[in-house]
Amino acid sequence: MTTVSITAKSVKSFHELWERRTLVYFFVWRDLKSRYQRTFLGVGWILLQPLLLAAIFAFIASHRTGLGLVATDTPVFLIVFLGVSLWQFFETGLTGAVNSLGGNYHLLKKVYIPKPLLLLSAIVGRGFDFTLTMVVFMLLLWFTGAPLSVTGFLLIALAAAMLALTALLFSLLLAPLNVIYHDIGFALPFVMRVMFFATPLWYALSILPAGTQRLMMFSPIVAAIEMAKSSFVGDSAFAVGKLLPSLMLLIILAPIAVLVFRRHESTLVDHL
């Protein structure tokens, strides 16, 4: 297959996705209703996990100075809450997207649906959850007297967009493989848990050796979270250059993810 034909098919696919973009709203609304309609706390579950985890990690940090989490104008609890909220957005978005094809097999077998829309819908739906946590974050900043920084919230928005792109690219790689090889569904939760504890959410990246810090900044997840936290931990001059390694990784990953997905897309229904 030539480069020209690949490019032509990619442009055609993008045009098709844009024409059917309203399906994203339908799938997001359907998933939100099914997720919370029979729960006692409803959307309160969105906030419960990051609040509890932030409280636990902040308590540990207050008794273990070696973790490097030091209160500035923003309490440690809120810094951890921000990091955990961003991580939760990435983890739930990626997991939902990877499982979206199998979860909608009954639709895929009956009608034609552009499959990337299912992945995108799963991530957008988790964006709704993340928006709610950021509203609570802003209220907590105001309640504790911490500074409300416009730059800080712009960096949070940029970090969320970066995490959404990362989740989408990895889901393009993993979602078709999850349909064909069910091992992905077993391995992904374990990998996510390991990454959770490895990511500097409950500790400061600065406590690691300089070489390890540079290596970890190749991770788009770490880079996005560090960027979002920067204006709340006294690092108001976050160097854009710190994002270059992770952005390079995403640029390399993007065509690979698209090609892998397109290679398996036409036969996925046969495996459902």
Side-chain angles (χ1 to χ4, degrees):
M1 185 177 292
T2 65
T3 304
V4 174
S5 63
I6 293 176
T7 303
K9 286 188 175 182
S10 299
V11 172
K12 182 180 178 181
S13 297
F14 180 79
H15 180 69
E16 181 185 38
L17 292 175
W18 178 253
E19 285 186 332
R20 299 173 183 262
R21 63 189 182 278
T22 53
L23 286 175
V24 173
Y25 307 124
F26 167 76
F27 287 124
V28 169
W29 179 244
R30 183 202 63 176
D31 292 344
L32 287 175
K33 287 197 301 181
S34 63
R35 196 187 311 161
Y36 300 116
Q37 67 179 355
R38 294 185 180 180
T39 60
F40 179 73
L41 293 180
V43 294
W45 287 110
I46 300 171
L47 306 172
L48 191 60
Q49 181 175 335
L51 285 171
L52 289 178
L53 286 174
I56 293 171
F57 289 149
F59 175 79
I60 295 173
S62 66
H63 291 78
R64 295 293 299 271
T65 56
L67 295 178
L69 293 176
V70 181
T72 54
D73 293 333
T74 306
V76 170
F77 167 77
L78 293 183
I79 296 172
V80 177
F81 177 74
L82 173 60
V84 170
S85 298
L86 285 163
W87 168 264
Q88 182 175 270
F89 169 51
F90 169 74
E91 180 184 13
T92 55
L94 175 61
T95 304
V98 169
N99 294 321
S100 62
L101 298 180
N104 290 278
Y105 73 93
H106 54 290
L107 287 176
L108 293 174
K109 284 181 173 291
K110 293 179 180 179
V111 296
Y112 173 73
I113 300 173
K115 297 172 185 65
L117 285 182
L118 294 172
L119 279 61
L120 183 61
S121 299
I123 297 171
V124 172
R126 296 301 179 172
F128 171 81
D129 298 355
F130 177 71
T131 301
L132 287 182
T133 62
M134 287 302 96
V135 171
V136 172
F137 177 68
M138 183 173 63
L139 293 174
L140 289 173
L141 285 173
W142 173 79
F143 181 76
T144 58
L148 293 169
S149 168
V150 175
T151 301
F153 281 98
L154 289 176
L155 291 178
I156 290 174
L158 182 59
M162 189 172 175
L163 290 173
L165 176 61
T166 305
L168 179 61
L169 292 179
F170 275 105
S171 65
L172 286 171
L173 275 174
L174 297 176
L177 298 180
N178 186 44
V179 172
I180 301 171
Y181 308 106
H182 292 175
D183 307 77
I184 301 295
F186 290 101
L188 186 60
F190 173 73
V191 173
M192 288 291 99
R193 193 53 52 201
V194 171
M195 290 177 61
F196 173 79
F197 286 106
T199 303
L201 304 171
W202 52 279
Y203 68 92
L205 184 64
S206 58
I207 68 173
L208 300 177
T212 305
Q213 292 183 42
R214 289 193 292 270
L215 182 63
M216 291 193 69
M217 288 301 287
F218 275 91
S219 165
I221 302 101
V222 173
I225 292 175
E226 287 298 300
M227 176 177 62
K229 294 193 301 183
S230 61
S231 63
F232 298 99
V233 296
D235 183 15
S236 58
F238 181 82
V240 178
K242 293 181 180 180
L243 294 177
L244 289 180
S246 59
L247 292 177
M248 288 173 54
L249 181 65
L250 291 177
I251 291 172
I252 295 172
L253 177 62
I256 297 174
V258 172
L259 288 174
V260 168
F261 190 88
R262 288 193 58 81
R263 179 180 179 182
H264 296 285
E265 185 177 12
S266 60
T267 60
L268 287 177
V269 176
D270 300 330
H271 294 279
L272 291 172

